[in-house]
Amino acid sequence: MTSILMWLRRRPKGALGAPPALVTPPRLAPALVLLILAIGVFLPTLGVSLILVLGFEATARRFLPGVSRWLGLTPRAAPV
């Protein structure tokens, strides 16, 4: 419970407090992508949840800019 209180006190106003997205997303190794796909196929609940999260992020980035900024999905400019 105290960790939640500390997070609420220390997070930036109007944001989740997650690190901002990278300007250039990292390139995933093909073996890692295949491993994620294989695990998603063999564990269908995990696969469905991964698809739902990716779909939500894509929707938030495209149609909900406020939510996207709050979640840290949009890159922010460096502070001056």
Side-chain angles (χ1 to χ4, degrees), residues 47-63:
V48 169
S49 65
L50 286 174
I51 291 170
L52 289 174
V53 168
L54 289 174
F56 173 76
E57 284 186 3
T59 303
R61 284 178 190 239
R62 186 168 188 164
F63 299 113

Side-chain angles (χ1 to χ4, degrees), residues 6-77:
M6 289 176 59
W7 170 73
L8 287 171
R9 291 179 184 163
R10 297 177 58 107
R11 73 184 173 123
K13 296 288 181 194
L16 179 64
L22 299 173
V23 177
T24 56
R27 181 164 153 36
L28 296 177
L32 178 62
V33 174
L34 288 174
L35 179 65
I36 292 170
L37 289 174
I39 292 173
V41 168
F42 291 118
L43 300 172
T45 306
L46 176 67
V48 169
S49 65
L50 286 174
I51 291 170
L52 289 174
V53 168
L54 289 174
F56 173 76
E57 284 186 3
T59 303
R61 284 178 190 239
R62 186 168 188 164
F63 299 113
L64 305 169
V67 172
S68 183
R69 276 191 304 278
W70 185 77
L71 288 172
L73 296 176
T74 57
R76 296 183 184 171

